[in-house]
Amino acid sequence: MGSFLSSLPFHLLFCLTVFWLLPLPSHSADPDPLQDFCVANVSASISVNGFPCKPASEVTSDDFFFDGFTKEGNTTNIFAGLNTLGISMNRLDFAPGGLNPPHLHPRASETGVVIEGKLLVGFVTSNNVFYSKVLTAGQMFVIPRGLVHFQLNVGEGKALAFTAFNSHLPGAVVVPINLFASSIPNEVLTKTFQVDAGVINTIRSKFRS
């Protein structure tokens, strides 16, 4: 209980930030919705710019409330009520030394708050300028849309952060996986990184499932 109470101000800070920044149409990367809500039908086989809507007659109060962030490392749940509303959130759990590797979100800017631990957060601009800072509990960061960024746990214990996006489907392009776990020809990668094929094959081997 003491740990929860000590972190309560940080949760409130983050909730207020989401309330003021994300729901406003001028800040959303997605088109404005044409209806009050479109609770996701996550079992549907067709998906165009999000999930199809669950029939209004089947919508319940539970569709607009979510407890998926209460469990560490829980990445399986979908908050159906956010569908088409132009916002989304993540819980990020880091083991000591844990890394969220360089990646980008093509359809959204990202903001986040550190709840526990110490994170090095950084991003690189299109002009190859690198910005970074070590953040602790209660401190926030923002990543402009489409820029490569990362988070690294530089503390001695675990770290926890909540992030939010101004799109309900921000997308995630994980740079090393896209480069070395895809079918990009070795010739392209050897020329890009100016190394021989043996180096590329060694790196590729680390990303094979």
Side-chain angles (χ1 to χ4, degrees), residues 13 36 39 61 73 100 103 113 150 158 189 194:
L13 173 64
D36 289 343
V39 173
S61 293
N100 190 9
H103 63 284
V113 61
F150 66 89
K158 294 180 179 180
L189 297 177
Q194 301 180 43

Side-chain angles (χ1 to χ4, degrees), residues 144-155:
R145 175 179 176 176
L147 297 186
V148 174
H149 60 283
F150 66 89
Q151 296 99 11
L152 172 66
N153 184 358
V154 294

